[in-house]
Amino acid sequence: MDLNFTPEELAFREEVQAFLREKVPASLKDKVRNGIHLSKADHEAWHAILHAQGWLANHWPKAHGGPG
């Protein structure tokens, strides 16, 4: 059994890490780090960020807002 990541998996991991660094607002990061309850507005903002990236419904086709 090979437990090493493939080059594709490593590239996707970097893509996700860069996305989180660049797109998650500091206010959400601070709340999560400090265990503060996320409001409905916080969840809606996070969902909007995921949607803009095409990751909100990751199993949907591109034609319907997913990543394909």
Short mmCIF file of all heavy atoms in Angstrom, two decimals:
data_model
loop_
_atom_site.label_atom_id
_atom_site.label_comp_id
_atom_site.label_asym_id
_atom_site.label_seq_id
_atom_site.Cartn_x
_atom_site.Cartn_y
_atom_site.Cartn_z
N MET A 1 0.84 -1.17 0.00
CA MET A 1 0.00 0.00 0.00
C MET A 1 0.89 1.24 0.00
O MET A 1 1.76 1.38 0.84
CB MET A 1 -0.89 -0.02 1.24
CG MET A 1 -1.75 1.20 1.36
SD MET A 1 -2.73 1.28 2.88
CE MET A 1 -3.93 0.02 2.58
N ASP A 2 0.66 2.11 -0.97
CA ASP A 2 1.43 3.35 -1.08
C ASP A 2 0.60 4.49 -0.49
O ASP A 2 -0.44 4.86 -1.03
CB ASP A 2 1.76 3.62 -2.54
CG ASP A 2 2.61 4.86 -2.73
OD1 ASP A 2 3.00 5.50 -1.72
OD2 ASP A 2 2.88 5.21 -3.89
N LEU A 3 1.06 5.04 0.62
CA LEU A 3 0.33 6.11 1.30
C LEU A 3 0.84 7.50 0.92
O LEU A 3 0.41 8.49 1.49
CB LEU A 3 0.40 5.92 2.81
CG LEU A 3 -0.23 4.63 3.33
CD1 LEU A 3 -0.05 4.51 4.84
CD2 LEU A 3 -1.70 4.53 2.96
N ASN A 4 1.74 7.57 -0.03
CA ASN A 4 2.25 8.86 -0.49
C ASN A 4 1.22 9.54 -1.39
O ASN A 4 0.47 8.88 -2.12
CB ASN A 4 3.56 8.68 -1.25
CG ASN A 4 4.65 8.16 -0.35
OD1 ASN A 4 4.90 8.72 0.71
ND2 ASN A 4 5.29 7.08 -0.76
N PHE A 5 1.18 10.86 -1.32
CA PHE A 5 0.29 11.61 -2.18
C PHE A 5 0.81 11.60 -3.61
O PHE A 5 2.02 11.66 -3.84
CB PHE A 5 0.17 13.06 -1.72
CG PHE A 5 -0.58 13.22 -0.42
CD1 PHE A 5 0.05 13.75 0.69
CD2 PHE A 5 -1.91 12.86 -0.32
CE1 PHE A 5 -0.63 13.91 1.88
CE2 PHE A 5 -2.60 13.01 0.86
CZ PHE A 5 -1.97 13.54 1.97
N THR A 6 -0.10 11.56 -4.56
CA THR A 6 0.28 11.67 -5.97
C THR A 6 0.59 13.13 -6.26
O THR A 6 0.19 14.02 -5.51
CB THR A 6 -0.87 11.21 -6.89
OG1 THR A 6 -1.96 12.12 -6.74
CG2 THR A 6 -1.30 9.79 -6.58
N PRO A 7 1.28 13.41 -7.37
CA PRO A 7 1.52 14.81 -7.73
C PRO A 7 0.21 15.60 -7.88
O PRO A 7 0.15 16.77 -7.50
CB PRO A 7 2.27 14.71 -9.06
CG PRO A 7 2.96 13.38 -9.00
CD PRO A 7 2.01 12.48 -8.25
N GLU A 8 -0.82 14.96 -8.40
CA GLU A 8 -2.12 15.63 -8.55
C GLU A 8 -2.72 15.98 -7.20
O GLU A 8 -3.29 17.05 -7.02
CB GLU A 8 -3.08 14.76 -9.35
CG GLU A 8 -2.68 14.55 -10.79
CD GLU A 8 -1.64 13.45 -10.99
OE1 GLU A 8 -1.34 12.67 -10.03
OE2 GLU A 8 -1.09 13.38 -12.10
N GLU A 9 -2.61 15.05 -6.25
CA GLU A 9 -3.13 15.31 -4.90
C GLU A 9 -2.35 16.42 -4.21
O GLU A 9 -2.94 17.27 -3.54
CB GLU A 9 -3.09 14.02 -4.07
CG GLU A 9 -4.08 12.98 -4.54
CD GLU A 9 -3.85 11.61 -3.94
OE1 GLU A 9 -2.70 11.28 -3.57
OE2 GLU A 9 -4.82 10.85 -3.85
N LEU A 10 -1.05 16.44 -4.38
CA LEU A 10 -0.23 17.51 -3.80
C LEU A 10 -0.59 18.86 -4.42
O LEU A 10 -0.67 19.86 -3.70
CB LEU A 10 1.25 17.21 -4.00
CG LEU A 10 1.80 16.04 -3.19
CD1 LEU A 10 3.22 15.70 -3.64
CD2 LEU A 10 1.77 16.35 -1.71
N ALA A 11 -0.83 18.88 -5.71
CA ALA A 11 -1.20 20.13 -6.37
C ALA A 11 -2.56 20.61 -5.87
O ALA A 11 -2.75 21.80 -5.63
CB ALA A 11 -1.22 19.93 -7.89
N PHE A 12 -3.50 19.68 -5.70
CA PHE A 12 -4.82 20.07 -5.20
C PHE A 12 -4.72 20.57 -3.76
O PHE A 12 -5.36 21.55 -3.39
CB PHE A 12 -5.81 18.91 -5.30
CG PHE A 12 -7.17 19.28 -4.81
CD1 PHE A 12 -7.95 20.21 -5.48
CD2 PHE A 12 -7.69 18.70 -3.66
CE1 PHE A 12 -9.22 20.56 -5.02
CE2 PHE A 12 -8.95 19.03 -3.20
CZ PHE A 12 -9.72 19.96 -3.88
N ARG A 13 -3.89 19.92 -2.96
CA ARG A 13 -3.71 20.37 -1.58
C ARG A 13 -3.19 21.81 -1.55
O ARG A 13 -3.67 22.64 -0.79
CB ARG A 13 -2.75 19.44 -0.82
CG ARG A 13 -2.53 19.88 0.62
CD ARG A 13 -1.68 18.91 1.39
NE ARG A 13 -0.33 18.89 0.88
CZ ARG A 13 0.66 18.20 1.44
NH1 ARG A 13 0.43 17.45 2.51
NH2 ARG A 13 1.86 18.23 0.94
N GLU A 14 -2.22 22.11 -2.41
CA GLU A 14 -1.68 23.47 -2.47
C GLU A 14 -2.75 24.45 -2.95
O GLU A 14 -2.84 25.57 -2.44
CB GLU A 14 -0.45 23.54 -3.37
CG GLU A 14 0.12 24.93 -3.51
CD GLU A 14 0.41 25.64 -2.19
OE1 GLU A 14 0.87 24.99 -1.23
OE2 GLU A 14 0.16 26.86 -2.10
N GLU A 15 -3.57 24.03 -3.91
CA GLU A 15 -4.65 24.89 -4.39
C GLU A 15 -5.62 25.22 -3.26
O GLU A 15 -6.02 26.38 -3.10
CB GLU A 15 -5.39 24.19 -5.53
CG GLU A 15 -6.55 24.99 -6.08
CD GLU A 15 -7.35 24.24 -7.14
OE1 GLU A 15 -6.97 23.11 -7.52
OE2 GLU A 15 -8.36 24.80 -7.59
N VAL A 16 -5.98 24.22 -2.47
CA VAL A 16 -6.91 24.45 -1.36
C VAL A 16 -6.28 25.35 -0.30
O VAL A 16 -6.91 26.28 0.19
CB VAL A 16 -7.37 23.10 -0.74
CG1 VAL A 16 -8.14 23.32 0.55
CG2 VAL A 16 -8.20 22.32 -1.74
N GLN A 17 -5.02 25.09 0.03
CA GLN A 17 -4.34 25.92 1.03
C GLN A 17 -4.23 27.37 0.57
O GLN A 17 -4.47 28.29 1.36
CB GLN A 17 -2.95 25.35 1.34
CG GLN A 17 -3.01 24.05 2.11
CD GLN A 17 -1.65 23.39 2.28
OE1 GLN A 17 -0.71 23.67 1.53
NE2 GLN A 17 -1.55 22.51 3.26
N ALA A 18 -3.91 27.58 -0.69
CA ALA A 18 -3.82 28.95 -1.21
C ALA A 18 -5.19 29.61 -1.20
O ALA A 18 -5.32 30.79 -0.83
CB ALA A 18 -3.25 28.93 -2.64
N PHE A 19 -6.21 28.87 -1.58
CA PHE A 19 -7.57 29.39 -1.55
C PHE A 19 -7.95 29.84 -0.14
O PHE A 19 -8.47 30.95 0.05
CB PHE A 19 -8.54 28.31 -2.04
CG PHE A 19 -9.98 28.61 -1.78
CD1 PHE A 19 -10.67 29.50 -2.57
CD2 PHE A 19 -10.65 27.99 -0.74
CE1 PHE A 19 -12.01 29.77 -2.33
CE2 PHE A 19 -11.99 28.25 -0.50
CZ PHE A 19 -12.67 29.14 -1.29
N LEU A 20 -7.67 29.01 0.84
CA LEU A 20 -8.02 29.36 2.22
C LEU A 20 -7.24 30.59 2.70
O LEU A 20 -7.80 31.47 3.34
CB LEU A 20 -7.77 28.17 3.15
CG LEU A 20 -8.67 26.96 2.92
CD1 LEU A 20 -8.21 25.79 3.77
CD2 LEU A 20 -10.13 27.30 3.19
N ARG A 21 -5.95 30.66 2.36
CA ARG A 21 -5.14 31.82 2.75
C ARG A 21 -5.69 33.10 2.14
O ARG A 21 -5.73 34.15 2.79
CB ARG A 21 -3.69 31.63 2.30
CG ARG A 21 -2.85 30.77 3.19
CD ARG A 21 -1.37 30.86 2.82
NE ARG A 21 -1.10 30.58 1.42
CZ ARG A 21 -0.83 29.36 0.92
NH1 ARG A 21 -0.82 28.31 1.71
NH2 ARG A 21 -0.58 29.21 -0.36
N GLU A 22 -6.08 33.03 0.88
CA GLU A 22 -6.45 34.23 0.14
C GLU A 22 -7.91 34.63 0.28
O GLU A 22 -8.23 35.82 0.23
CB GLU A 22 -6.15 34.01 -1.35
CG GLU A 22 -4.68 33.83 -1.62
CD GLU A 22 -4.41 33.30 -3.03
OE1 GLU A 22 -5.34 33.29 -3.87
OE2 GLU A 22 -3.27 32.90 -3.28
N LYS A 23 -8.81 33.69 0.46
CA LYS A 23 -10.24 33.98 0.35
C LYS A 23 -11.02 34.00 1.66
O LYS A 23 -12.09 34.59 1.71
CB LYS A 23 -10.91 32.97 -0.59
CG LYS A 23 -10.34 32.94 -1.99
CD LYS A 23 -10.60 34.21 -2.73
CE LYS A 23 -10.06 34.13 -4.16
NZ LYS A 23 -10.30 35.32 -4.92
N VAL A 24 -10.50 33.37 2.69
CA VAL A 24 -11.25 33.35 3.95
C VAL A 24 -10.99 34.66 4.68
O VAL A 24 -9.85 35.00 4.99
CB VAL A 24 -10.85 32.15 4.84
CG1 VAL A 24 -11.63 32.18 6.15
CG2 VAL A 24 -11.10 30.84 4.11
N PRO A 25 -12.06 35.41 4.96
CA PRO A 25 -11.89 36.68 5.66
C PRO A 25 -11.30 36.49 7.06
O PRO A 25 -11.58 35.48 7.73
CB PRO A 25 -13.31 37.24 5.76
CG PRO A 25 -14.12 36.47 4.77
CD PRO A 25 -13.45 35.15 4.62
N ALA A 26 -10.51 37.45 7.49
CA ALA A 26 -9.90 37.39 8.82
C ALA A 26 -10.95 37.23 9.91
O ALA A 26 -10.72 36.52 10.90
CB ALA A 26 -9.05 38.62 9.07
N SER A 27 -12.11 37.86 9.73
CA SER A 27 -13.16 37.76 10.76
C SER A 27 -13.62 36.32 10.94
O SER A 27 -13.84 35.88 12.08
CB SER A 27 -14.34 38.65 10.39
OG SER A 27 -14.91 38.24 9.15
N LEU A 28 -13.74 35.57 9.85
CA LEU A 28 -14.13 34.17 9.96
C LEU A 28 -12.99 33.33 10.55
O LEU A 28 -13.22 32.47 11.39
CB LEU A 28 -14.54 33.61 8.60
CG LEU A 28 -15.87 34.07 8.04
CD1 LEU A 28 -16.14 33.42 6.69
CD2 LEU A 28 -17.01 33.80 9.00
N LYS A 29 -11.77 33.59 10.10
CA LYS A 29 -10.62 32.86 10.65
C LYS A 29 -10.53 33.05 12.16
O LYS A 29 -10.31 32.09 12.90
CB LYS A 29 -9.32 33.32 10.00
CG LYS A 29 -9.15 32.90 8.57
CD LYS A 29 -7.85 33.46 8.01
CE LYS A 29 -7.70 33.17 6.55
NZ LYS A 29 -6.46 33.71 5.98
N ASP A 30 -10.69 34.29 12.60
CA ASP A 30 -10.60 34.59 14.04
C ASP A 30 -11.68 33.88 14.83
O ASP A 30 -11.43 33.33 15.91
CB ASP A 30 -10.67 36.09 14.28
CG ASP A 30 -9.45 36.84 13.77
OD1 ASP A 30 -8.40 36.19 13.56
OD2 ASP A 30 -9.54 38.07 13.59
N LYS A 31 -12.90 33.89 14.30
CA LYS A 31 -13.99 33.21 15.01
C LYS A 31 -13.72 31.71 15.14
O LYS A 31 -13.92 31.13 16.20
CB LYS A 31 -15.33 33.45 14.30
CG LYS A 31 -15.91 34.82 14.54
CD LYS A 31 -17.28 34.94 13.90
CE LYS A 31 -17.92 36.27 14.23
NZ LYS A 31 -19.29 36.38 13.69
N VAL A 32 -13.29 31.10 14.06
CA VAL A 32 -13.03 29.66 14.08
C VAL A 32 -11.88 29.34 15.03
O VAL A 32 -11.97 28.42 15.85
CB VAL A 32 -12.76 29.13 12.65
CG1 VAL A 32 -12.28 27.69 12.69
CG2 VAL A 32 -14.03 29.24 11.81
N ARG A 33 -10.79 30.10 14.94
CA ARG A 33 -9.63 29.86 15.82
C ARG A 33 -9.99 29.99 17.30
O ARG A 33 -9.43 29.31 18.14
CB ARG A 33 -8.52 30.86 15.50
CG ARG A 33 -7.73 30.52 14.29
CD ARG A 33 -6.54 31.45 14.13
NE ARG A 33 -5.92 31.25 12.84
CZ ARG A 33 -5.70 32.19 11.94
NH1 ARG A 33 -6.02 33.44 12.20
NH2 ARG A 33 -5.15 31.91 10.79
N ASN A 34 -10.91 30.90 17.60
CA ASN A 34 -11.26 31.17 19.00
C ASN A 34 -12.52 30.46 19.46
O ASN A 34 -13.00 30.70 20.56
CB ASN A 34 -11.40 32.68 19.20
CG ASN A 34 -10.07 33.39 19.05
OD1 ASN A 34 -9.12 33.07 19.75
ND2 ASN A 34 -9.99 34.33 18.12
N GLY A 35 -13.04 29.57 18.62
CA GLY A 35 -14.20 28.79 19.01
C GLY A 35 -15.46 29.61 19.18
O GLY A 35 -16.34 29.23 19.96
N ILE A 36 -15.55 30.73 18.46
CA ILE A 36 -16.72 31.60 18.55
C ILE A 36 -17.78 31.11 17.58
O ILE A 36 -17.49 30.74 16.44
CB ILE A 36 -16.33 33.07 18.24
CG1 ILE A 36 -15.32 33.55 19.29
CG2 ILE A 36 -17.55 33.96 18.19
CD1 ILE A 36 -14.69 34.89 18.97
N HIS A 37 -19.02 31.11 18.03
CA HIS A 37 -20.14 30.65 17.22
C HIS A 37 -20.22 31.46 15.92
O HIS A 37 -20.15 32.69 15.94
CB HIS A 37 -21.44 30.81 18.01
CG HIS A 37 -22.67 30.46 17.23
ND1 HIS A 37 -23.02 29.14 16.98
CD2 HIS A 37 -23.60 31.23 16.64
CE1 HIS A 37 -24.13 29.14 16.27
NE2 HIS A 37 -24.50 30.39 16.06
N LEU A 38 -20.38 30.75 14.81
CA LEU A 38 -20.57 31.41 13.52
C LEU A 38 -22.05 31.70 13.32
O LEU A 38 -22.89 30.83 13.51
CB LEU A 38 -20.06 30.54 12.38
CG LEU A 38 -18.56 30.23 12.38
CD1 LEU A 38 -18.22 29.28 11.24
CD2 LEU A 38 -17.75 31.50 12.27
N SER A 39 -22.34 32.92 12.95
CA SER A 39 -23.72 33.33 12.74
C SER A 39 -24.22 32.81 11.39
O SER A 39 -23.44 32.31 10.55
CB SER A 39 -23.81 34.85 12.75
OG SER A 39 -23.14 35.38 11.61
N LYS A 40 -25.51 32.98 11.17
CA LYS A 40 -26.09 32.64 9.87
C LYS A 40 -25.40 33.45 8.77
O LYS A 40 -25.09 32.91 7.70
CB LYS A 40 -27.59 32.90 9.87
CG LYS A 40 -28.26 32.52 8.57
CD LYS A 40 -29.75 32.74 8.62
CE LYS A 40 -30.35 32.26 7.31
NZ LYS A 40 -31.26 33.17 6.71
N ALA A 41 -25.16 34.71 9.02
CA ALA A 41 -24.48 35.56 8.04
C ALA A 41 -23.07 35.05 7.74
O ALA A 41 -22.62 35.11 6.58
CB ALA A 41 -24.44 37.00 8.52
N ASP A 42 -22.36 34.56 8.77
CA ASP A 42 -21.03 34.00 8.56
C ASP A 42 -21.10 32.78 7.64
O ASP A 42 -20.29 32.64 6.71
CB ASP A 42 -20.40 33.57 9.89
CG ASP A 42 -20.06 34.73 10.80
OD1 ASP A 42 -19.77 35.84 10.30
OD2 ASP A 42 -20.09 34.52 12.04
N HIS A 43 -22.06 31.91 7.90
CA HIS A 43 -22.23 30.72 7.06
C HIS A 43 -22.60 31.10 5.63
O HIS A 43 -22.08 30.51 4.66
CB HIS A 43 -23.29 29.78 7.65
CG HIS A 43 -22.81 29.03 8.84
ND1 HIS A 43 -22.01 27.91 8.76
CD2 HIS A 43 -23.03 29.23 10.15
CE1 HIS A 43 -21.75 27.46 9.96
NE2 HIS A 43 -22.36 28.25 10.84
N GLU A 44 -23.46 32.09 5.50
CA GLU A 44 -23.84 32.54 4.15
C GLU A 44 -22.65 33.13 3.41
O GLU A 44 -22.47 32.89 2.21
CB GLU A 44 -24.98 33.55 4.24
CG GLU A 44 -26.29 32.92 4.66
CD GLU A 44 -27.38 33.92 4.97
OE1 GLU A 44 -27.08 35.14 5.14
OE2 GLU A 44 -28.54 33.51 5.06
N ALA A 45 -21.82 33.88 4.12
CA ALA A 45 -20.62 34.46 3.50
C ALA A 45 -19.67 33.35 3.05
O ALA A 45 -19.11 33.39 1.94
CB ALA A 45 -19.92 35.40 4.47
N TRP A 46 -19.48 32.33 3.90
CA TRP A 46 -18.60 31.22 3.57
C TRP A 46 -19.15 30.45 2.37
O TRP A 46 -18.40 30.09 1.45
CB TRP A 46 -18.42 30.31 4.77
CG TRP A 46 -17.64 29.06 4.50
CD1 TRP A 46 -18.05 27.79 4.70
CD2 TRP A 46 -16.30 28.97 3.98
NE1 TRP A 46 -17.06 26.91 4.33
CE2 TRP A 46 -15.98 27.61 3.88
CE3 TRP A 46 -15.37 29.91 3.57
CZ2 TRP A 46 -14.75 27.16 3.40
CZ3 TRP A 46 -14.14 29.47 3.09
CH2 TRP A 46 -13.84 28.10 3.02
N HIS A 47 -20.45 30.23 2.34
CA HIS A 47 -21.05 29.53 1.20
C HIS A 47 -20.89 30.34 -0.08
O HIS A 47 -20.65 29.77 -1.16
CB HIS A 47 -22.52 29.22 1.48
CG HIS A 47 -22.70 28.12 2.46
ND1 HIS A 47 -23.93 27.73 2.91
CD2 HIS A 47 -21.81 27.33 3.10
CE1 HIS A 47 -23.79 26.74 3.77
NE2 HIS A 47 -22.51 26.49 3.90
N ALA A 48 -21.00 31.65 0.00
CA ALA A 48 -20.81 32.50 -1.18
C ALA A 48 -19.37 32.39 -1.69
O ALA A 48 -19.13 32.36 -2.91
CB ALA A 48 -21.16 33.95 -0.85
N ILE A 49 -18.41 32.32 -0.77
CA ILE A 49 -17.01 32.17 -1.15
C ILE A 49 -16.79 30.83 -1.84
O ILE A 49 -16.14 30.75 -2.88
CB ILE A 49 -16.09 32.32 0.09
CG1 ILE A 49 -16.14 33.76 0.61
CG2 ILE A 49 -14.66 31.89 -0.23
CD1 ILE A 49 -15.56 33.92 2.00
N LEU A 50 -17.33 29.77 -1.26
CA LEU A 50 -17.21 28.45 -1.88
C LEU A 50 -17.88 28.41 -3.25
O LEU A 50 -17.36 27.82 -4.20
CB LEU A 50 -17.81 27.38 -0.98
CG LEU A 50 -17.05 27.06 0.30
CD1 LEU A 50 -17.85 26.08 1.16
CD2 LEU A 50 -15.67 26.49 -0.01
N HIS A 51 -19.05 29.03 -3.34
CA HIS A 51 -19.77 29.05 -4.62
C HIS A 51 -18.96 29.77 -5.69
O HIS A 51 -18.88 29.29 -6.83
CB HIS A 51 -21.13 29.73 -4.44
CG HIS A 51 -21.88 29.89 -5.72
ND1 HIS A 51 -22.42 28.83 -6.41
CD2 HIS A 51 -22.14 30.99 -6.45
CE1 HIS A 51 -22.98 29.27 -7.52
NE2 HIS A 51 -22.84 30.58 -7.56
N ALA A 52 -18.36 30.89 -5.35
CA ALA A 52 -17.56 31.65 -6.32
C ALA A 52 -16.39 30.81 -6.84
O ALA A 52 -15.97 30.97 -7.99
CB ALA A 52 -17.06 32.95 -5.68
N GLN A 53 -15.89 29.91 -6.01
CA GLN A 53 -14.78 29.03 -6.39
C GLN A 53 -15.29 27.79 -7.14
O GLN A 53 -14.50 27.07 -7.74
CB GLN A 53 -14.01 28.61 -5.12
CG GLN A 53 -12.78 27.78 -5.37
CD GLN A 53 -11.64 28.58 -5.96
OE1 GLN A 53 -11.65 29.80 -5.97
NE2 GLN A 53 -10.64 27.89 -6.46
N GLY A 54 -16.60 27.55 -7.09
CA GLY A 54 -17.16 26.34 -7.71
C GLY A 54 -17.08 25.14 -6.80
O GLY A 54 -17.20 24.00 -7.25
N TRP A 55 -16.89 25.38 -5.50
CA TRP A 55 -16.72 24.28 -4.54
C TRP A 55 -17.90 24.09 -3.60
O TRP A 55 -17.84 23.25 -2.72
CB TRP A 55 -15.46 24.50 -3.71
CG TRP A 55 -14.18 24.35 -4.47
CD1 TRP A 55 -14.01 23.92 -5.75
CD2 TRP A 55 -12.87 24.64 -3.98
NE1 TRP A 55 -12.68 23.92 -6.08
CE2 TRP A 55 -11.96 24.36 -5.02
CE3 TRP A 55 -12.39 25.11 -2.77
CZ2 TRP A 55 -10.59 24.53 -4.87
CZ3 TRP A 55 -11.03 25.28 -2.64
CH2 TRP A 55 -10.14 24.98 -3.67
N LEU A 56 -18.96 24.85 -3.77
CA LEU A 56 -20.08 24.71 -2.84
C LEU A 56 -20.74 23.35 -2.99
O LEU A 56 -21.06 22.69 -2.00
CB LEU A 56 -21.10 25.83 -3.05
CG LEU A 56 -22.28 25.81 -2.09
CD1 LEU A 56 -21.81 25.92 -0.64
CD2 LEU A 56 -23.24 26.94 -2.39
N ALA A 57 -20.95 22.92 -4.20
CA ALA A 57 -21.55 21.62 -4.47
C ALA A 57 -20.55 20.83 -5.31
O ALA A 57 -20.67 20.74 -6.52
CB ALA A 57 -22.88 21.79 -5.19
N ASN A 58 -19.55 20.27 -4.64
CA ASN A 58 -18.39 19.72 -5.35
C ASN A 58 -18.72 18.52 -6.24
O ASN A 58 -17.92 18.15 -7.07
CB ASN A 58 -17.28 19.36 -4.38
CG ASN A 58 -17.68 18.30 -3.39
OD1 ASN A 58 -18.83 17.91 -3.30
ND2 ASN A 58 -16.73 17.83 -2.62
N HIS A 59 -19.88 17.93 -6.10
CA HIS A 59 -20.24 16.79 -6.93
C HIS A 59 -21.16 17.18 -8.10
O HIS A 59 -21.57 16.33 -8.86
CB HIS A 59 -20.92 15.72 -6.07
CG HIS A 59 -22.14 16.22 -5.36
ND1 HIS A 59 -22.05 17.06 -4.27
CD2 HIS A 59 -23.45 16.03 -5.59
CE1 HIS A 59 -23.27 17.36 -3.86
NE2 HIS A 59 -24.14 16.75 -4.64
N TRP A 60 -21.45 18.47 -8.23
CA TRP A 60 -22.31 18.94 -9.31
C TRP A 60 -21.50 19.22 -10.57
O TRP A 60 -20.33 19.61 -10.50
CB TRP A 60 -23.01 20.21 -8.91
CG TRP A 60 -24.12 20.06 -7.91
CD1 TRP A 60 -24.42 18.94 -7.18
CD2 TRP A 60 -25.04 21.06 -7.50
NE1 TRP A 60 -25.48 19.20 -6.36
CE2 TRP A 60 -25.88 20.49 -6.53
CE3 TRP A 60 -25.23 22.37 -7.86
CZ2 TRP A 60 -26.90 21.20 -5.93
CZ3 TRP A 60 -26.24 23.09 -7.27
CH2 TRP A 60 -27.08 22.49 -6.30
N PRO A 61 -22.12 19.11 -11.74
CA PRO A 61 -21.43 19.47 -12.99
C PRO A 61 -21.26 20.98 -13.08
O PRO A 61 -21.99 21.75 -12.45
CB PRO A 61 -22.37 18.95 -14.07
CG PRO A 61 -23.69 18.76 -13.44
CD PRO A 61 -23.45 18.56 -11.96
N LYS A 62 -20.30 21.40 -13.91
CA LYS A 62 -20.03 22.83 -14.09
C LYS A 62 -21.27 23.58 -14.55
O LYS A 62 -21.49 24.72 -14.15
CB LYS A 62 -18.90 23.05 -15.09
CG LYS A 62 -17.54 22.78 -14.54
CD LYS A 62 -16.45 23.16 -15.52
CE LYS A 62 -15.11 22.89 -14.88
NZ LYS A 62 -14.01 23.36 -15.72
N ALA A 63 -22.08 22.96 -15.36
CA ALA A 63 -23.29 23.62 -15.89
C ALA A 63 -24.26 24.01 -14.78
O ALA A 63 -25.10 24.88 -14.98
CB ALA A 63 -23.99 22.69 -16.88
N HIS A 64 -24.12 23.39 -13.64
CA HIS A 64 -25.02 23.67 -12.52
C HIS A 64 -24.30 24.29 -11.33
O HIS A 64 -24.79 24.25 -10.20
CB HIS A 64 -25.76 22.39 -12.10
CG HIS A 64 -26.61 21.82 -13.20
ND1 HIS A 64 -27.81 22.37 -13.58
CD2 HIS A 64 -26.39 20.79 -14.03
CE1 HIS A 64 -28.32 21.69 -14.58
NE2 HIS A 64 -27.47 20.73 -14.89
N GLY A 65 -23.12 24.85 -11.56
CA GLY A 65 -22.41 25.57 -10.50
C GLY A 65 -21.35 24.80 -9.77
O GLY A 65 -20.73 25.31 -8.84
N GLY A 66 -21.12 23.56 -10.14
CA GLY A 66 -20.09 22.75 -9.50
C GLY A 66 -18.78 22.80 -10.24
O GLY A 66 -18.66 23.44 -11.28
N PRO A 67 -17.76 22.10 -9.75
CA PRO A 67 -16.46 22.13 -10.38
C PRO A 67 -16.31 21.15 -11.55
O PRO A 67 -15.34 21.18 -12.26
CB PRO A 67 -15.51 21.73 -9.25
CG PRO A 67 -16.33 20.85 -8.38
CD PRO A 67 -17.73 21.42 -8.45
N GLY A 68 -17.28 20.29 -11.73
CA GLY A 68 -17.20 19.30 -12.82
C GLY A 68 -16.63 18.00 -12.37
O GLY A 68 -16.22 17.79 -11.28
#
